[in-house]
Structure formats: C-alpha cells, structure tokens
Amino acid sequence: MSVAVQSWSPSWPPAIPKPGALPGFGITFGFTLTYLSLIVLIPLAVLVWRASGLGLDGIWRVATTPRVLAALETSFVISAAAALVNALFGMIVAWVLTRYSFPGRQPIDAAVDLPFALPTAVAGIALAALYAPNGWIGALFEPWGIKIAFTPLGIFIALVFIGLPFVVRTVQPVLQDLDREIEEASATLGATRRQTFFRVVLPALLPALLTGIALAFARAVGEYGSVIFIAGNMPFKSEIAPLLIVARLEEYDYAGASAIATVMLVISFAALLAINLLQAVSRRRMGDA
Amino acid sequence: MRDTALAESAVTCWVLTGIAIGFLGLFLALPLLAVFSEALRRGVDAYLAAFDDPDTQSAIGLTLLIAAIAVPLNLVFGVCAAWSIAKFWFPGKSLLVSLIDLPFSVSPVVSGLVYVLLFGAKGLLGPTLSDWDFKIIFAVPGIVLATIFVTFPFIARELIPLMQEQGTAEEEAAMTLGASGWRTFLTVTLPNVRWALLYGVLLCNARAMGEFGAVSVVSGHIRGLTNTMPLQVEILYNEYNFVAAFAVASLLAGLALVTLVGKSILEWRYGHGLSAVRRR
C-alpha cells in the first residue's frame, strides 16, 4: 500500500555500535541475503542479461518500432498528465484534510488509501463500468460525443485513480509539521494570504510535492490491471507499454518483452533521477540542503 | 468576503473543501459504489448464484492458498531482515534497505516477466524443469513466486524503521538477566513490534490476494487450476458475465475495505506501536 511514501530514515550514525552484542546476526542476515537474492536480485539480473543478449542496437531496434514507440509514448505522456492532475488535486485534498475540520474528516482521510488497497482488476472493471457510454458518468458525456472508456482518456482516468494517494500522503505530513509561526510572520510583514501560500507555504511543500509526483508517475508507468479494462487496447492508440510486454510474452518473444521492459525501466529510472535532482535543488533553495 | 492575512475566507474554505470532497467522491466513492451496484444489478439471488460456479470457488480457494504461503514467508523474511538491519551494524546497510524496496518500483508485469524468463518454456531453466517434469510457469508455484515478489517489502518496511527507533537496550537488558536469544526475541522484541507486524501483514495480505498484473503473466489462466480471484474477475468480465465478475470483485472490494478499516484502527489506536511515519 503506501508504496515508498516516506523514505526510511536509517538512523545514521547507528545507535547500535557493538556488533555481536545480541545473538542471531549470522542466521538472520544470511537468510535475508539469500531470500532477497533468490526472489528479487537473481530474477531481475536475468531480465537485464536477457535484454543485453540483444545488444544495445538490438534493444534500440525493438524500442523504435512504430508500435513500441507509440505504446511508450502513450504510457509516459498519459502517466505524466495523470501525475500532474494528482499534484493539483492532491495538494487541495492534503490541505483540506490537515487544515480544516469538518464532520467525516477522519473516514475521508482513511479512504484516500483506497487505490492502494483495492485490487487493480476491481478498480479496472469498476472504472470501465462507470465511464462506458452507458455507464453513470460515460452517459453524461455521450450526448456531447465524448467517449472516455476505451480511448486514451480512459487510460488517463485509471492512472489518476491509482496515483491519487501518493501526493496526498507525501504532502500531508510536511503540511502537518509546518510551523504556523512562519505563516504568521509572513502575514505580519504584510503579505496577503495568497502571497503567504505561494511564497512561503508552497516552497516548503515543494520537495514533498515533487516526491509525490515522482511516485505517482512511476506507479502509473508500470500500471497494468486497472488500465487494460478501460483502455480499449488499440495498437497505436490506446495500447500501454506493459500490455505490449504481455503481448510479446504470449508470442513467446522473450527477447522482445525483455527489451521493452528494460527500456521502460531505464526511462522511469531516468525520470526519477531527474525529479530527485529537482528535489535537491528546491531543498537547497529552502536552505536546508 | 476576502481572505484574511492568516486564514482563507469562508468562501475559499468551502470551495476547497468542495473540490476535495468532489474529487475523492468521483474517484473513490463512485468506483466502489459501482462494484456493489453492478454486482447486485440482477438481485441478491443472481449475486449469490455467481458463487455456485465451481471455477469461481476454486479461484477463491487458490487465492487463499497463495496468500497463506506468500504472507508467512514474507513475514519470516521481514522479521529476519529487520532483526539484522535494526539491531546490528554492518557496511552496505542502506544499500540493502533500498534493495528490499526494489520490488515496489518494478511494474507488476515485469515482476511476472522475470520468472517467465527464468522458468518459462523458453526460459533459462525451462528445459531443465521440463526434464524433471516440474511446472512453475502456468502453475501454482509461479503464482506463489510472483506474489511473493510483489509483496516482498511490505512487512520488512514496517518493522525496520520501528526496530531502529527502539534500539537494542531492552534486548541487552534481557540478555544480561540471563534470557536466551530466542526467549529475548519472543518476550521482548516481539511484543514491542506486534502492532507494526500486524500492520505489515494486513497490507501484505491485501496485495497478495489482489495482485493482478504479475500473477496474470505467470498463471496461464487455466480455469479451475491457476485462476486466482482477480484473474477470475477478468475472465468473467471478458465473457460479458458482468454480474458474476462484479460479484467476485465485490469480495475483493470488501477485503480492501476491511484492510482500510484495520489499518486506520491500528494508526489511530496503536500508533505508538507503529513506525514514526504511520503515527497520526
């Protein structure tokens, strides 16, 4: 559920300087390493090895076929759009949940985690039913000639749903801990509420906001279950990259599947890295680098 | 009405609250409502009849089985990882912590793909496995592996920060008083982390029962044999058997609601026993 919402803070320097004061290090550490290697590291290494068998130009050839390019573009562009929409609404939700009190605030707060808890297939068919031309929401748009389900717009809706908790859950704790005295100082110095928000509060929230956007984006790029039911899955139109991996696997084209998976991993890591840099810059501007 | 210098005006306040509740209603409440309303569209009898299907029953059984294997394994792993990481010092610790988190940043489809590349018919170990006549892909072991992969970090990431905060003083005291290592763990450490453990198990179980992408890649969708509940939802839905699809989905939605309630109770009631980021 709260996928990497808060980075762990391994207490550093550690409070436990004496190795061997307690028993059981050997067996627990050994088991941890073995289990981690068998379940996660070796299988991921096989993926990289399999893709590297194609060579860089082989991966490039797979990645630049028109259908793969179209799928990658669909995945990354719509994920970015969904993450940005979640940034705006996530900020508003976080603000309302921390700053205002109204009846039902606690259950609503708890409900924000629903997209983490609801199985993606369930979310997928529920959204498809809602936004289909005869669904509760789809029917409202049908007279205007706007189709949502089974078009890229449907993918966007699904990705907004699954990315919804990230920005709220990263911004909320920072907003809670934000010293109200800073806002008072800003007001005393003659700033309007709007100026205080945009020049004092928002910069303080920016690193958390960027983290939330990055996490929502990364989750959206890899998302499969909630998207495929509402997407329509038309090649060149509404086909996402993870679906193309599945299609390649069904044709037993393991090399092609690995190549697309590797390209996806590389692009998302690059995007995460870029956002981490942005975060570092915005933190430094806040003076607590 | 205008904003004052220290707070938004009542109008701004209402507008923001309205937008927030509207947004959450549209994206959270409506889909949930749609699941139950579609499931009950043809009445309670049709809803219940969906569970008479033997394939659906076997999907429910398989989902319970998978969770019953994956969750305890990740529980043992989580406790071992937390014990070695939180109670001892060794070089490369933060790297290990990041590696444990790795499955969260991998697409579910890729999580399934890696096991197909290892054990599939044309995979690295595929020929060996077929010599031994042992199936992993398109069989239950593959589903278990993919489920363990996607739920890998859940319990460890609840325990590690909490046990780091708690330090080693209590355990050392118990050892000094003559308790064995195992007894120290059972009577000192375990009670200290029980709520975080439960929290991790809750989240791990929800994901294990609800995983779709990774499981769908390795399962082969063999009815009555390798179909978990989420996959059964997909099959029924693609057959236009909407009532049955949403009926199975409603069980999973119920599981999600129970998980959310349990999680909130733990956060509000027993927040002191959870890691700092979970406290409310």
Side-chain angles (χ1 to χ4, degrees):
Chain A
M1 251 137 278
S2 353
V3 180
V5 159
Q6 283 278 333
S7 58
W8 304 353
S9 48
S11 52
W12 202 264
I16 331 117
K18 291 163 293 179
L22 294 172
F25 177 71
I27 185 163
T28 54
F29 183 69
F31 179 75
T32 302
L33 272 194
T34 314
Y35 191 76
L36 176 71
S37 306
L38 287 180
I39 298 286
V40 179
L41 299 182
I42 294 173
L44 281 176
V46 169
L47 167 70
V48 175
W49 171 78
R50 193 79 191 210
S52 69
L54 287 174
L56 269 184
D57 51 321
I59 295 179
W60 184 253
R61 224 175 304 125
V62 173
T64 49
T65 54
R67 187 167 164 194
V68 175
L69 267 185
L72 286 171
E73 193 192 326
T74 305
S75 277
F76 283 92
V77 169
I78 301 182
S79 297
L84 290 179
V85 166
N86 271 325
L88 175 65
F89 286 97
M91 274 289 290
I92 297 177
V93 170
W95 182 269
V96 166
L97 287 178
T98 36
R99 288 297 171 91
Y100 305 151
S101 67
F102 49 92
R105 192 180 60 85
Q106 276 200 331
I108 291 176
D109 192 344
V112 168
D113 281 332
L114 183 73
F116 287 151
L118 196 68
T120 51
V122 177
I125 63 168
L127 291 172
L130 278 177
Y131 290 91
N134 59 352
W136 294 344
I137 299 175
L140 297 178
F141 287 89
E142 179 72 359
W144 305 80
I146 302 172
K147 275 196 176 357
I148 300 178
F150 320 121
T151 71
L153 215 52
I155 305 178
F156 170 75
I157 298 283
L159 295 183
V160 170
F161 171 82
I162 56 121
L164 191 152
F166 290 99
V167 169
V168 182
R169 290 302 184 228
T170 46
V171 168
Q172 225 176 357
V174 183
L175 200 52
Q176 238 149 22
D177 293 343
L178 199 67
D179 205 340
R180 292 297 280 266
E181 280 173 21
I182 310 174
E183 288 167 58
E184 282 166 26
S186 159
T188 317
L189 293 171
T192 63
R193 187 66 189 151
R194 181 178 302 233
Q195 282 173 325
T196 301
F197 178 78
F198 282 104
R199 298 206 188 155
V200 177
V201 179
L202 194 60
L205 297 179
L206 202 57
L209 182 64
L210 287 174
T211 309
I213 294 175
L215 291 170
F217 174 76
R219 170 76 203 262
V221 166
E223 180 57 22
Y224 177 69
S226 59
V227 175
I228 56 161
F229 293 99
I230 197 173
N233 307 326
M234 298 267 293
F236 299 105
K237 268 191 185 155
S238 55
E239 186 175 59
I240 52 166
L243 179 70
L244 207 51
I245 296 179
V246 173
R248 289 288 140 89
L249 268 182
E250 279 168 1
E251 297 157 2
Y252 291 96
D253 178 7
Y254 289 5
S258 315
I260 304 171
T262 311
V263 170
M264 272 179 62
L265 286 181
V266 168
I267 301 180
S268 0
F269 279 133
L272 285 182
L273 199 70
I275 294 209
N276 269 329
L277 285 176
L278 258 177
Q279 243 184 322
V281 170
S282 70
R283 258 201 208 110
R284 199 158 310 135
R285 282 188 52 200
M286 281 300 292
D288 56 43
Chain B
M1 273 217 290
R2 293 176 57 104
D3 293 353
T4 65
L6 264 180
E8 300 81 56
S9 70
V11 175
T12 319
C13 212
W14 279 110
V15 169
L16 287 178
T17 311
I19 293 175
I21 291 180
F23 179 69
L24 295 179
L26 183 67
F27 277 96
L28 301 180
L30 268 185
L32 206 55
L33 215 62
V35 171
F36 291 101
S37 110
E38 292 285 330
L40 294 167
R41 163 167 279 191
R42 305 222 191 288
V44 179
D45 291 339
Y47 175 80
L48 292 176
F51 299 105
D52 289 337
D53 180 354
D55 289 342
T56 296
Q57 288 171 356
S58 94
I60 296 173
L62 183 60
T63 290
L64 294 175
L65 174 73
I66 300 291
I69 301 171
V71 176
L73 279 175
N74 280 339
L75 176 68
V76 172
F77 162 73
V79 170
C80 283
W83 181 264
S84 58
I85 289 171
K87 306 286 181 190
F88 300 91
W89 185 88
F90 54 89
K93 195 191 257 195
S94 46
L95 175 69
L96 181 62
V97 169
S98 335
L99 286 178
I100 290 175
D101 252 355
L102 199 57
F104 276 163
S105 41
V106 173
S107 166
V109 169
V110 177
S111 315
L113 168 72
V114 293
Y115 292 108
V116 176
L117 295 179
L118 256 181
F119 304 117
K122 283 170 68 186
L124 198 58
L125 302 176
T128 322
L129 287 171
S130 71
D131 286 347
W132 293 348
D133 206 18
F134 184 67
K135 265 182 94 112
I136 292 185
I137 299 305
F138 302 158
V140 175
I143 304 178
V144 173
L145 279 174
T147 306
I148 292 177
F149 186 103
V150 293
T151 57
F152 190 84
F154 276 112
I155 297 170
R157 61 181 293 126
E158 295 306 325
L159 292 182
I160 294 171
L162 178 68
M163 281 166 68
Q164 275 180 330
E165 281 170 45
Q166 289 172 343
T168 53
E170 290 185 33
E171 281 83 1
E172 276 164 15
M175 300 286 296
T176 318
L177 293 171
S180 68
W182 186 238
R183 180 145 180 230
T184 303
F185 173 75
L186 286 182
T187 54
V188 177
T189 312
L190 208 54
N192 274 341
V193 299
R194 63 182 188 276
W195 298 120
L197 203 69
L198 187 61
Y199 192 94
V201 167
L202 204 64
L203 303 194
C204 184
N205 177 65
R207 181 74 192 264
M209 290 190 169
E211 178 54 26
F212 177 76
V215 167
S216 141
V217 170
V218 296
S219 125
H221 300 84
I222 308 165
R223 277 163 187 265
L225 282 180
T226 64
N227 254 352
T228 61
M229 283 167 78
L231 299 179
Q232 183 71 6
V233 168
E234 181 197 21
I235 286 197
L236 293 168
Y237 186 84
N238 287 342
E239 286 172 347
Y240 301 101
N241 193 348
F242 292 137
V243 168
F246 279 100
V248 180
S250 74
L251 287 189
L252 289 168
L255 169 74
L257 288 177
V258 169
T259 305
L260 280 188
V261 169
K263 177 177 172 297
S264 307
I265 292 176
L266 283 175
E267 281 168 1
W268 292 329
R269 266 278 166 80
Y270 304 103
H272 55 86
L274 301 178
S275 68
V277 295
R278 302 289 185 211
R279 280 170 211 150
R280 298 235 169 169

